[in-house]
Amino acid sequence: MAKPEEKTILVVDDEPDVRQYLAAILEDAGFNVLTAGDGDEALSSIRQHRPDFISLDLIMPRKSGHKLLYELRKDKELARIPVLIVTAHARDDLGKSALEDILESSTMSGPGIYLEKPIQPLNYVRSIQRVLGIEETRDTSEKFGLKEELQKELQKADSDALRKALQALKASTER
């Protein structure tokens, strides 16, 4: 069975914060990660360092994920790279028609071909692991489950609670 450290994922998103967030999630899960800010940059990266998987934003300037996906599917060598569309526009005027076109034309098919933002880290990692044939470990579930729980609590916490939590984390990492 494949291991995450044997696989390279290309994260394509025009928003730097989102791109960095998705890359960090995948790096935490053990994957090698490349990033690109649009379809043109992604195509160049794909040709230089062929990834095992592509996480692709749908709506981007210069070359959209929709256009990039069609270019990939026309190229026999690149057509086999699995793609997961990650979009905030699956249901709005910006992306709905592009996503419907992809689904109706069978450019991509099957369950789990797209995820809507905001992304839940565990769902994101699991979607990629399934496609790449990587065992879904309990350790991954616990790690991302704990991070998600911590993030929810941090959003509710006041300044004093945050200060105490930070001190506790620093103390635990110094041991």
Side-chain angles (χ1 to χ4, degrees):
M1 185 157 274
K3 296 179 181 176
E5 59 270 14
E6 298 169 344
K7 301 294 181 180
T8 299
I9 313 298
L10 174 62
V11 174
V12 186
D13 199 296
D14 61 316
E15 296 180 46
D17 291 344
V18 173
R19 190 170 56 242
Q20 187 176 23
Y21 174 67
L22 296 176
I25 291 168
L26 294 173
E27 288 168 350
D28 281 352
F31 291 103
N32 299 302
V33 180
L34 302 170
T35 62
D38 61 49
D40 286 331
E41 190 180 329
L43 191 56
S44 176
S45 180
I46 291 165
R47 289 193 170 129
Q48 288 179 6
H49 311 282
R50 190 157 155 186
D52 298 292
F53 192 95
I54 301 170
S55 170
L56 181 62
D57 187 14
L58 191 59
I59 306 299
M60 298 180 287
R62 291 179 45 187
K63 183 179 288 176
S64 70
H66 186 217
K67 288 180 182 176
L68 175 63
L69 184 58
Y70 275 101
E71 287 184 33
L72 294 175
R73 295 306 183 236
K74 288 180 186 177
D75 184 313
K76 288 182 182 182
E77 288 188 29
L78 304 179
R80 294 180 183 234
I81 301 171
V83 175
L84 174 67
I85 294 173
V86 178
T87 184
H89 302 288
R91 301 171 198 265
D92 67 22
D93 290 341
L94 281 175
K96 186 177 181 179
S97 63
L99 187 58
E100 286 173 353
D101 181 53
I102 291 167
L103 297 173
E104 289 171 7
S105 68
S106 299
T107 302
M108 294 174 64
S109 61
I113 62 167
Y114 77 95
L115 291 175
E116 291 186 54
K117 296 176 184 175
I119 296 300
Q120 298 300 317
L122 185 58
N123 291 341
Y124 183 57
V125 170
R126 289 284 192 240
S127 296
I128 295 168
Q129 287 175 325
R130 278 185 221 113
V131 171
L132 294 177
I134 295 172
E135 184 179 355
E136 299 175 10
T137 64
R138 186 172 168 223
D139 181 50
T140 302
S141 296
E142 288 178 359
K143 181 179 187 177
F144 286 104
L146 287 171
K147 282 186 175 186
E148 287 176 23
E149 185 178 346
L150 181 59
Q151 286 174 339
K152 287 177 187 174
E153 293 301 319
L154 286 172
Q155 289 174 352
K156 296 187 285 185
D158 63 22
S159 295
D160 289 335
L162 288 172
R163 201 171 289 105
K164 288 176 185 175
L166 181 59
Q167 289 172 346
L169 282 172
K170 284 181 177 179
S172 71
T173 59
E174 292 172 356
R175 292 181 202 160

